[in-house]
Amino acid sequence: MTREFRPWISLYRGALIAAALGASVAYASDPGSGHDDDIEAPSGDSGSDHSGPGGDESSGSDRDSSGRGGDDSSGDNSGSGDDGDRADDGGDTFDGGDNSGSGSDSDGDQSDDGGDNSGSGDSGGDGGDQSDDGDNNSGSDNSDDGDEQSGGSESDNSGTSSAGAPVSGHLAQVAASEAALSQATQHAIVVERDEHGSERVAGEALFAGNANELDAARAAGFEVLSERALTSSDGAIARLHVPDGMSIDSAVNALHTVAPHALVTSNNIYRGSEASVRLGRLTPRPHQTNFVGVLGIIDTGVDVPSLAPSALLSQRSFGGNAPIARQHGSLVAALAIEAGMRVHVADVFGSSADGAQAASADSIAAALDWMITNRVPVINISIEGPNNAVLAALVNRAVRNGHVIVAAAGNGGPLARPAFPAAFEGSVAVTAIDGDDRPYMRANRGAYISFAAPGVDLDVRTGDGAVLVSGTSFAAPLVAAKIAERLHQPSPANARNVLAALQDQAVDLGAPGRDPIFGWGALRD
């Protein structure tokens, strides 16, 4: 059933901080293409916690977690894993299937040290540790939440990109506002690492199940920090406070005992799959206006004034009170729009205690539920992190309903363990190649890779400026746009046909057939 759009109008002002902290504005426009355009603009109810389409308030508790504030803990990203393994939830509902937590084979948060990763290109990728060089996940986030807002984009607090080069135009203006927003953040996410090095929210368990199962969790002494009905299923998703003195792993085991049919996991943390952004010296060209499809983007908020007019169909926050426009999501959206897409944007990022951007599994789950409910046919997720059973269940549900989930393969390097959601069963994992068809030196490898696409020194025009970007984050929307151009409604049969056609179209760059470096091959214009 088609949902009616409720248009809202907001003018972009210089006072981005005030807009971010106080505004709750919805953007929605009629694509006029006959495609799946039924996302309803949120009502702007700032009191709801991760509310679904139309601004409906979530049920249950709506207070912020007491575990969101403090210092980010560090840990060794040790452990090994099979690069080819994908996680499957074992079913299409939350009342069955494997109730395992995050997978030990794939839940390290890995990134390259910036050196030459040519190496041996071992397709097995046994999970060698990769240290972070500091390029990725720069900038800060705000725990503000809400439904729609124009504003800034991701950058560090000095007005430079993650690679250290100055960024011009709107992106530079937004850097200053992000610095202030970071200082204004009151409820930053406290991040800890598990025994495998995977990041998760400290003191929280993520619970997906029906009302009776959640009541059983309450009766066992688990406080519900927030609860949200999943409109694409009969269940709900809740953040539970782990009692003092109990570890998260022990809490997950206890919850499995009292609610055996629920899915219970850590509330894992995910980061943007960006490697570098640097200033481009290019003359801006006109925006793409020939729209040929609709794409959902789960990422940061986007900088509306830097995008082509009428390209943004809707924008909603699931990680704060209002969408915060940042560089990462703005660039991903710009690439998709230039490829002919109109976009629905779900901002899932908040701020961790160290000021870095962080998306929790519950925020991503809420965004996926929103996209599935509103029948967005193709969804791009340029985010990477560990395996998570709740997210696996939602990806499984989306694919079974005929949606296509496209995700960045990750920038951990050739020896990194699989990155999720790209490595979930059914996801289309996209890696990056340069202009000479060489694999991006920081790209993950493994049997889960589906396709390769340009993702090194891509020219992205952002309003009155231009940047050059590299990373699997920026290859993914190019493949997602090719799929969305052909898939206008969710359909299992049509989705299979589109993906099969892309396999035939792909240029085989590695070993014959699908290989762990290029997948089925490169997709180019």
Side-chain angles (χ1 to χ4, degrees), residues 391-455:
L391 293 185
L394 282 163
V395 169
N396 179 276
R397 179 182 297 279
V399 172
R400 287 166 65 92
N401 289 343
H403 303 261
V404 176
I405 306 296
V406 180
N411 298 319
L415 299 180
R417 292 171 294 197
F420 293 85
F424 286 135
E425 185 68 35
S427 292
V428 177
V430 181
T431 190
I433 55 174
D434 66 15
D436 295 318
D437 291 338
R438 294 173 299 192
Y440 179 50
M441 67 178 184
R442 296 185 62 175
N444 285 27
R445 299 181 182 186
Y448 70 99
I449 305 299
S450 302
F451 296 104

Short mmCIF file of all heavy atoms in Angstrom, two decimals, residues 391-455:
data_model
loop_
_atom_site.label_atom_id
_atom_site.label_comp_id
_atom_site.label_asym_id
_atom_site.label_seq_id
_atom_site.Cartn_x
_atom_site.Cartn_y
_atom_site.Cartn_z
N LEU A 391 21.20 -8.25 12.66
CA LEU A 391 21.34 -7.66 11.32
C LEU A 391 21.28 -8.73 10.24
O LEU A 391 20.71 -8.50 9.17
CB LEU A 391 22.64 -6.87 11.23
CG LEU A 391 22.74 -5.61 12.09
CD1 LEU A 391 24.03 -4.86 11.79
CD2 LEU A 391 21.54 -4.70 11.86
N ALA A 392 21.87 -9.89 10.51
CA ALA A 392 21.79 -10.99 9.54
C ALA A 392 20.33 -11.36 9.27
O ALA A 392 19.95 -11.63 8.13
CB ALA A 392 22.56 -12.20 10.06
N ALA A 393 19.50 -11.38 10.31
CA ALA A 393 18.09 -11.72 10.15
C ALA A 393 17.37 -10.71 9.27
O ALA A 393 16.55 -11.06 8.42
CB ALA A 393 17.41 -11.81 11.52
N LEU A 394 17.67 -9.42 9.47
CA LEU A 394 17.01 -8.38 8.68
C LEU A 394 17.48 -8.40 7.23
O LEU A 394 16.69 -8.19 6.31
CB LEU A 394 17.24 -7.02 9.32
CG LEU A 394 16.35 -6.75 10.54
CD1 LEU A 394 16.88 -5.60 11.36
CD2 LEU A 394 14.92 -6.47 10.09
N VAL A 395 18.77 -8.62 7.01
CA VAL A 395 19.26 -8.74 5.64
C VAL A 395 18.62 -9.94 4.96
O VAL A 395 18.18 -9.87 3.80
CB VAL A 395 20.80 -8.84 5.61
CG1 VAL A 395 21.30 -9.24 4.23
CG2 VAL A 395 21.43 -7.51 6.03
N ASN A 396 18.53 -11.04 5.69
CA ASN A 396 17.88 -12.24 5.15
C ASN A 396 16.43 -11.95 4.78
O ASN A 396 15.95 -12.36 3.72
CB ASN A 396 17.96 -13.36 6.19
CG ASN A 396 17.29 -14.64 5.73
OD1 ASN A 396 16.08 -14.81 5.86
ND2 ASN A 396 18.09 -15.55 5.21
N ARG A 397 15.72 -11.25 5.67
CA ARG A 397 14.32 -10.91 5.38
C ARG A 397 14.22 -10.03 4.14
O ARG A 397 13.35 -10.24 3.28
CB ARG A 397 13.71 -10.19 6.58
CG ARG A 397 12.26 -9.76 6.38
CD ARG A 397 11.75 -9.01 7.61
NE ARG A 397 11.76 -9.88 8.77
CZ ARG A 397 10.82 -10.77 9.04
NH1 ARG A 397 9.81 -10.93 8.22
NH2 ARG A 397 10.90 -11.52 10.12
N ALA A 398 15.11 -9.04 4.03
CA ALA A 398 15.06 -8.14 2.88
C ALA A 398 15.28 -8.91 1.58
O ALA A 398 14.55 -8.71 0.59
CB ALA A 398 16.13 -7.06 3.04
N VAL A 399 16.27 -9.78 1.56
CA VAL A 399 16.58 -10.52 0.34
C VAL A 399 15.43 -11.46 -0.02
O VAL A 399 15.05 -11.57 -1.19
CB VAL A 399 17.90 -11.30 0.51
CG1 VAL A 399 18.14 -12.23 -0.67
CG2 VAL A 399 19.07 -10.32 0.65
N ARG A 400 14.86 -12.13 0.96
CA ARG A 400 13.73 -13.03 0.70
C ARG A 400 12.52 -12.28 0.17
O ARG A 400 11.69 -12.84 -0.56
CB ARG A 400 13.36 -13.78 1.98
CG ARG A 400 14.36 -14.86 2.36
CD ARG A 400 14.15 -15.33 3.79
NE ARG A 400 12.87 -15.99 3.96
CZ ARG A 400 12.66 -17.31 3.83
NH1 ARG A 400 13.68 -18.09 3.52
NH2 ARG A 400 11.47 -17.83 4.02
N ASN A 401 12.41 -10.98 0.51
CA ASN A 401 11.30 -10.16 0.02
C ASN A 401 11.61 -9.48 -1.30
O ASN A 401 10.80 -8.69 -1.80
CB ASN A 401 10.93 -9.10 1.06
CG ASN A 401 10.25 -9.70 2.27
OD1 ASN A 401 9.77 -10.84 2.23
ND2 ASN A 401 10.20 -8.95 3.36
N GLY A 402 12.79 -9.74 -1.86
CA GLY A 402 13.10 -9.21 -3.18
C GLY A 402 13.87 -7.93 -3.21
O GLY A 402 14.04 -7.33 -4.27
N HIS A 403 14.37 -7.46 -2.06
CA HIS A 403 15.27 -6.31 -2.03
C HIS A 403 16.69 -6.78 -2.35
O HIS A 403 17.02 -7.96 -2.19
CB HIS A 403 15.27 -5.66 -0.65
CG HIS A 403 13.93 -5.22 -0.17
ND1 HIS A 403 13.49 -3.92 -0.26
CD2 HIS A 403 12.91 -5.91 0.40
CE1 HIS A 403 12.26 -3.82 0.25
NE2 HIS A 403 11.90 -5.02 0.66
N VAL A 404 17.53 -5.85 -2.76
CA VAL A 404 18.94 -6.14 -2.95
C VAL A 404 19.74 -5.27 -1.99
O VAL A 404 19.57 -4.04 -1.98
CB VAL A 404 19.40 -5.89 -4.40
CG1 VAL A 404 20.91 -6.11 -4.53
CG2 VAL A 404 18.66 -6.81 -5.36
N ILE A 405 20.57 -5.89 -1.18
CA ILE A 405 21.44 -5.19 -0.25
C ILE A 405 22.84 -5.15 -0.84
O ILE A 405 23.46 -6.19 -1.05
CB ILE A 405 21.48 -5.88 1.13
CG1 ILE A 405 20.06 -6.08 1.68
CG2 ILE A 405 22.35 -5.09 2.10
CD1 ILE A 405 19.31 -4.82 1.98
N VAL A 406 23.33 -3.96 -1.11
CA VAL A 406 24.68 -3.77 -1.64
C VAL A 406 25.53 -3.16 -0.53
O VAL A 406 25.12 -2.18 0.10
CB VAL A 406 24.68 -2.85 -2.87
CG1 VAL A 406 26.10 -2.67 -3.41
CG2 VAL A 406 23.77 -3.41 -3.96
N ALA A 407 26.71 -3.72 -0.29
CA ALA A 407 27.54 -3.24 0.83
C ALA A 407 29.01 -3.19 0.43
O ALA A 407 29.48 -3.98 -0.40
CB ALA A 407 27.36 -4.14 2.05
N ALA A 408 29.71 -2.24 1.03
CA ALA A 408 31.15 -2.11 0.81
C ALA A 408 31.88 -3.29 1.40
O ALA A 408 31.61 -3.71 2.54
CB ALA A 408 31.65 -0.81 1.43
N ALA A 409 32.84 -3.85 0.66
CA ALA A 409 33.55 -5.05 1.08
C ALA A 409 34.47 -4.81 2.26
O ALA A 409 34.85 -5.75 2.95
CB ALA A 409 34.35 -5.62 -0.09
N GLY A 410 34.84 -3.57 2.53
CA GLY A 410 35.71 -3.24 3.64
C GLY A 410 37.10 -2.86 3.21
O GLY A 410 37.57 -3.24 2.12
N ASN A 411 37.77 -2.08 4.05
CA ASN A 411 39.10 -1.55 3.75
C ASN A 411 40.14 -2.07 4.74
O ASN A 411 41.04 -1.35 5.13
CB ASN A 411 39.09 -0.02 3.77
CG ASN A 411 38.18 0.56 2.71
OD1 ASN A 411 38.15 0.08 1.59
ND2 ASN A 411 37.42 1.58 3.07
N GLY A 412 40.01 -3.33 5.13
CA GLY A 412 40.95 -3.89 6.10
C GLY A 412 42.23 -4.42 5.50
O GLY A 412 43.15 -4.78 6.22
N GLY A 413 42.31 -4.52 4.18
CA GLY A 413 43.48 -5.06 3.53
C GLY A 413 43.30 -6.52 3.16
O GLY A 413 42.34 -7.18 3.57
N PRO A 414 44.22 -7.08 2.36
CA PRO A 414 44.07 -8.43 1.83
C PRO A 414 43.95 -9.53 2.89
O PRO A 414 43.40 -10.59 2.61
CB PRO A 414 45.35 -8.63 1.00
CG PRO A 414 45.76 -7.25 0.62
CD PRO A 414 45.40 -6.39 1.79
N LEU A 415 44.47 -9.31 4.09
CA LEU A 415 44.44 -10.35 5.10
C LEU A 415 43.34 -10.15 6.14
O LEU A 415 43.24 -10.91 7.10
CB LEU A 415 45.79 -10.44 5.81
CG LEU A 415 46.99 -10.79 4.92
CD1 LEU A 415 48.27 -10.84 5.74
CD2 LEU A 415 46.76 -12.10 4.19
N ALA A 416 42.52 -9.15 5.96
CA ALA A 416 41.47 -8.86 6.94
C ALA A 416 40.37 -9.91 6.90
O ALA A 416 40.11 -10.54 5.87
CB ALA A 416 40.88 -7.48 6.69
N ARG A 417 39.73 -10.09 8.03
CA ARG A 417 38.57 -10.96 8.09
C ARG A 417 37.40 -10.31 7.36
O ARG A 417 37.41 -9.11 7.10
CB ARG A 417 38.22 -11.25 9.55
CG ARG A 417 39.26 -12.10 10.24
CD ARG A 417 39.01 -12.21 11.73
NE ARG A 417 39.17 -10.93 12.40
CZ ARG A 417 39.32 -10.81 13.71
NH1 ARG A 417 39.34 -11.88 14.48
NH2 ARG A 417 39.45 -9.63 14.26
N PRO A 418 36.37 -11.07 7.02
CA PRO A 418 35.22 -10.51 6.30
C PRO A 418 34.60 -9.34 7.05
O PRO A 418 34.53 -9.35 8.28
CB PRO A 418 34.25 -11.69 6.20
CG PRO A 418 35.12 -12.90 6.27
CD PRO A 418 36.22 -12.54 7.22
N ALA A 419 34.14 -8.37 6.31
CA ALA A 419 33.44 -7.21 6.88
C ALA A 419 31.95 -7.38 6.64
O ALA A 419 31.51 -7.80 5.57
CB ALA A 419 33.94 -5.92 6.23
N PHE A 420 31.17 -7.03 7.64
CA PHE A 420 29.72 -7.11 7.57
C PHE A 420 29.14 -5.70 7.56
O PHE A 420 29.74 -4.79 8.13
CB PHE A 420 29.18 -7.90 8.77
CG PHE A 420 29.57 -9.35 8.75
CD1 PHE A 420 30.80 -9.76 9.26
CD2 PHE A 420 28.73 -10.31 8.20
CE1 PHE A 420 31.17 -11.09 9.24
CE2 PHE A 420 29.09 -11.65 8.18
CZ PHE A 420 30.32 -12.04 8.69
N PRO A 421 28.04 -5.47 6.85
CA PRO A 421 27.07 -6.43 6.31
C PRO A 421 27.43 -7.04 4.95
O PRO A 421 26.66 -7.86 4.43
CB PRO A 421 25.79 -5.61 6.20
CG PRO A 421 26.26 -4.21 5.97
CD PRO A 421 27.53 -4.07 6.78
N ALA A 422 28.56 -6.65 4.35
CA ALA A 422 28.89 -7.19 3.03
C ALA A 422 28.96 -8.71 3.03
O ALA A 422 28.60 -9.36 2.05
CB ALA A 422 30.22 -6.59 2.54
N ALA A 423 29.45 -9.31 4.12
CA ALA A 423 29.66 -10.76 4.17
C ALA A 423 28.43 -11.55 4.60
O ALA A 423 28.49 -12.77 4.69
CB ALA A 423 30.84 -11.08 5.10
N PHE A 424 27.30 -10.88 4.87
CA PHE A 424 26.09 -11.62 5.18
C PHE A 424 25.62 -12.39 3.95
O PHE A 424 25.74 -11.91 2.81
CB PHE A 424 24.96 -10.68 5.62
CG PHE A 424 25.11 -10.14 7.00
CD1 PHE A 424 24.88 -8.79 7.26
CD2 PHE A 424 25.45 -10.96 8.07
CE1 PHE A 424 25.00 -8.27 8.53
CE2 PHE A 424 25.58 -10.46 9.35
CZ PHE A 424 25.35 -9.11 9.58
N GLU A 425 25.07 -13.56 4.17
CA GLU A 425 24.50 -14.33 3.08
C GLU A 425 23.42 -13.51 2.38
O GLU A 425 22.52 -12.98 3.01
CB GLU A 425 23.88 -15.63 3.63
CG GLU A 425 23.37 -16.57 2.56
CD GLU A 425 24.47 -17.17 1.72
OE1 GLU A 425 25.56 -17.43 2.27
OE2 GLU A 425 24.24 -17.39 0.53
N GLY A 426 23.54 -13.37 1.07
CA GLY A 426 22.57 -12.60 0.30
C GLY A 426 23.00 -11.20 -0.03
O GLY A 426 22.45 -10.58 -0.95
N SER A 427 23.96 -10.63 0.70
CA SER A 427 24.45 -9.29 0.37
C SER A 427 25.29 -9.32 -0.90
O SER A 427 25.90 -10.33 -1.24
CB SER A 427 25.30 -8.73 1.51
OG SER A 427 24.53 -8.47 2.66
N VAL A 428 25.31 -8.20 -1.60
CA VAL A 428 26.18 -8.01 -2.76
C VAL A 428 27.37 -7.19 -2.28
O VAL A 428 27.26 -5.99 -2.02
CB VAL A 428 25.44 -7.28 -3.90
CG1 VAL A 428 26.39 -7.02 -5.07
CG2 VAL A 428 24.24 -8.10 -4.36
N ALA A 429 28.53 -7.84 -2.14
CA ALA A 429 29.72 -7.20 -1.60
C ALA A 429 30.55 -6.61 -2.74
O ALA A 429 30.89 -7.32 -3.69
CB ALA A 429 30.55 -8.21 -0.82
N VAL A 430 30.89 -5.34 -2.62
CA VAL A 430 31.59 -4.62 -3.69
C VAL A 430 32.97 -4.20 -3.23
O VAL A 430 33.13 -3.56 -2.18
CB VAL A 430 30.79 -3.39 -4.15
CG1 VAL A 430 31.53 -2.66 -5.28
CG2 VAL A 430 29.39 -3.81 -4.62
N THR A 431 33.99 -4.55 -4.00
CA THR A 431 35.35 -4.12 -3.75
C THR A 431 35.72 -3.01 -4.72
O THR A 431 34.97 -2.70 -5.65
CB THR A 431 36.33 -5.30 -3.87
OG1 THR A 431 37.62 -4.89 -3.39
CG2 THR A 431 36.45 -5.77 -5.31
N ALA A 432 36.88 -2.41 -4.51
CA ALA A 432 37.30 -1.25 -5.31
C ALA A 432 38.50 -1.60 -6.17
O ALA A 432 39.40 -2.34 -5.76
CB ALA A 432 37.63 -0.08 -4.39
N ILE A 433 38.53 -1.03 -7.37
CA ILE A 433 39.67 -1.14 -8.27
C ILE A 433 40.04 0.25 -8.75
O ILE A 433 39.23 1.19 -8.69
CB ILE A 433 39.38 -2.05 -9.48
CG1 ILE A 433 38.12 -1.57 -10.22
CG2 ILE A 433 39.24 -3.49 -9.04
CD1 ILE A 433 37.83 -2.32 -11.50
N ASP A 434 41.29 0.39 -9.25
CA ASP A 434 41.71 1.69 -9.77
C ASP A 434 41.46 1.76 -11.27
O ASP A 434 40.87 0.85 -11.87
CB ASP A 434 43.18 1.97 -9.43
CG ASP A 434 44.16 1.02 -10.10
OD1 ASP A 434 43.78 0.32 -11.06
OD2 ASP A 434 45.32 0.98 -9.65
N GLY A 435 41.94 2.83 -11.91
CA GLY A 435 41.70 3.04 -13.32
C GLY A 435 42.37 2.03 -14.22
O GLY A 435 42.02 1.91 -15.41
N ASP A 436 43.32 1.30 -13.69
CA ASP A 436 44.01 0.26 -14.46
C ASP A 436 43.54 -1.14 -14.07
O ASP A 436 44.23 -2.13 -14.36
CB ASP A 436 45.53 0.38 -14.26
CG ASP A 436 46.09 1.68 -14.81
OD1 ASP A 436 45.67 2.07 -15.92
OD2 ASP A 436 46.93 2.29 -14.13
N ASP A 437 42.41 -1.21 -13.42
CA ASP A 437 41.81 -2.48 -13.00
C ASP A 437 42.64 -3.23 -11.96
O ASP A 437 42.49 -4.45 -11.79
CB ASP A 437 41.56 -3.40 -14.20
CG ASP A 437 40.44 -2.88 -15.10
OD1 ASP A 437 39.61 -2.09 -14.60
OD2 ASP A 437 40.42 -3.25 -16.29
N ARG A 438 43.47 -2.53 -11.24
CA ARG A 438 44.22 -3.15 -10.16
C ARG A 438 43.40 -3.05 -8.87
O ARG A 438 42.73 -2.05 -8.63
CB ARG A 438 45.57 -2.46 -9.96
CG ARG A 438 46.52 -2.62 -11.14
CD ARG A 438 47.76 -1.78 -10.95
NE ARG A 438 47.45 -0.37 -10.85
CZ ARG A 438 48.35 0.63 -10.91
NH1 ARG A 438 49.64 0.32 -11.04
NH2 ARG A 438 47.97 1.87 -10.81
N PRO A 439 43.46 -4.09 -8.03
CA PRO A 439 42.68 -4.03 -6.79
C PRO A 439 43.19 -2.93 -5.87
O PRO A 439 44.40 -2.70 -5.77
CB PRO A 439 42.90 -5.41 -6.16
CG PRO A 439 44.18 -5.91 -6.75
CD PRO A 439 44.23 -5.35 -8.15
N TYR A 440 42.28 -2.26 -5.23
CA TYR A 440 42.64 -1.23 -4.25
C TYR A 440 43.46 -1.88 -3.15
O TYR A 440 43.09 -2.92 -2.60
CB TYR A 440 41.37 -0.60 -3.70
CG TYR A 440 41.61 0.46 -2.65
CD1 TYR A 440 42.52 1.49 -2.87
CD2 TYR A 440 40.91 0.42 -1.45
CE1 TYR A 440 42.73 2.46 -1.90
CE2 TYR A 440 41.11 1.40 -0.49
CZ TYR A 440 42.02 2.41 -0.73
OH TYR A 440 42.23 3.37 0.23
N MET A 441 44.59 -1.27 -2.80
CA MET A 441 45.52 -1.92 -1.89
C MET A 441 44.94 -2.18 -0.51
O MET A 441 45.39 -3.07 0.21
CB MET A 441 46.80 -1.10 -1.76
CG MET A 441 46.63 0.23 -1.06
SD MET A 441 48.22 1.09 -0.91
CE MET A 441 47.74 2.54 0.03
N ARG A 442 43.92 -1.42 -0.10
CA ARG A 442 43.35 -1.58 1.23
C ARG A 442 42.07 -2.40 1.24
O ARG A 442 41.46 -2.60 2.28
CB ARG A 442 43.08 -0.22 1.85
CG ARG A 442 44.33 0.60 2.09
CD ARG A 442 44.03 1.91 2.81
NE ARG A 442 43.45 1.68 4.12
CZ ARG A 442 43.19 2.64 4.99
NH1 ARG A 442 43.46 3.89 4.68
NH2 ARG A 442 42.68 2.36 6.17
N ALA A 443 41.65 -2.89 0.07
CA ALA A 443 40.38 -3.61 -0.01
C ALA A 443 40.48 -5.00 0.60
O ALA A 443 41.49 -5.70 0.46
CB ALA A 443 39.94 -3.71 -1.46
N ASN A 444 39.40 -5.41 1.27
CA ASN A 444 39.29 -6.78 1.77
C ASN A 444 39.24 -7.76 0.60
O ASN A 444 38.85 -7.40 -0.51
CB ASN A 444 38.03 -6.95 2.61
CG ASN A 444 38.15 -6.34 3.98
OD1 ASN A 444 38.89 -5.38 4.21
ND2 ASN A 444 37.38 -6.88 4.92
N ARG A 445 39.58 -9.01 0.90
CA ARG A 445 39.47 -10.08 -0.08
C ARG A 445 38.78 -11.26 0.57
O ARG A 445 38.81 -11.43 1.78
CB ARG A 445 40.85 -10.49 -0.61
CG ARG A 445 41.58 -9.35 -1.30
CD ARG A 445 42.94 -9.78 -1.83
NE ARG A 445 43.63 -8.65 -2.44
CZ ARG A 445 44.79 -8.74 -3.09
NH1 ARG A 445 45.39 -9.93 -3.19
NH2 ARG A 445 45.34 -7.68 -3.63
N GLY A 446 38.16 -12.08 -0.25
CA GLY A 446 37.50 -13.26 0.30
C GLY A 446 36.43 -13.77 -0.63
O GLY A 446 36.02 -13.10 -1.59
N ALA A 447 35.93 -14.95 -0.32
CA ALA A 447 34.93 -15.59 -1.16
C ALA A 447 33.60 -14.84 -1.16
O ALA A 447 32.73 -15.13 -1.98
CB ALA A 447 34.71 -17.04 -0.71
N TYR A 448 33.41 -13.91 -0.23
CA TYR A 448 32.15 -13.18 -0.19
C TYR A 448 32.10 -12.01 -1.18
O TYR A 448 31.04 -11.43 -1.40
CB TYR A 448 31.87 -12.66 1.23
CG TYR A 448 32.77 -11.55 1.73
CD1 TYR A 448 32.37 -10.23 1.69
CD2 TYR A 448 34.03 -11.84 2.27
CE1 TYR A 448 33.19 -9.21 2.17
CE2 TYR A 448 34.84 -10.83 2.75
CZ TYR A 448 34.42 -9.52 2.69
OH TYR A 448 35.24 -8.52 3.17
N ILE A 449 33.22 -11.65 -1.82
CA ILE A 449 33.24 -10.54 -2.77
C ILE A 449 32.37 -10.88 -3.98
O ILE A 449 32.50 -11.96 -4.56
CB ILE A 449 34.68 -10.23 -3.23
CG1 ILE A 449 35.59 -9.97 -2.04
CG2 ILE A 449 34.68 -9.04 -4.19
CD1 ILE A 449 35.21 -8.80 -1.18
N SER A 450 31.50 -9.96 -4.37
CA SER A 450 30.59 -10.19 -5.50
C SER A 450 31.06 -9.50 -6.77
O SER A 450 31.10 -10.11 -7.84
CB SER A 450 29.18 -9.69 -5.15
OG SER A 450 28.67 -10.31 -4.00
N PHE A 451 31.39 -8.20 -6.67
CA PHE A 451 31.78 -7.44 -7.85
C PHE A 451 32.87 -6.43 -7.48
O PHE A 451 33.03 -6.09 -6.30
CB PHE A 451 30.59 -6.66 -8.44
CG PHE A 451 29.49 -7.52 -8.97
CD1 PHE A 451 28.31 -7.67 -8.26
CD2 PHE A 451 29.62 -8.18 -10.17
CE1 PHE A 451 27.28 -8.46 -8.74
CE2 PHE A 451 28.60 -8.98 -10.67
CZ PHE A 451 27.43 -9.12 -9.95
N ALA A 452 33.58 -5.97 -8.48
CA ALA A 452 34.53 -4.87 -8.35
C ALA A 452 34.02 -3.68 -9.14
O ALA A 452 33.35 -3.85 -10.17
CB ALA A 452 35.91 -5.29 -8.85
N ALA A 453 34.32 -2.49 -8.66
CA ALA A 453 33.92 -1.27 -9.36
C ALA A 453 34.96 -0.19 -9.06
O ALA A 453 35.71 -0.29 -8.09
CB ALA A 453 32.53 -0.82 -8.90
N PRO A 454 35.03 0.84 -9.90
CA PRO A 454 35.99 1.92 -9.65
C PRO A 454 35.81 2.50 -8.25
O PRO A 454 34.69 2.80 -7.83
CB PRO A 454 35.64 2.94 -10.73
CG PRO A 454 35.06 2.13 -11.84
CD PRO A 454 34.28 1.04 -11.16
N GLY A 455 36.93 2.63 -7.53
CA GLY A 455 36.85 3.16 -6.17
C GLY A 455 38.16 3.76 -5.71
O GLY A 455 38.39 3.87 -4.51
#
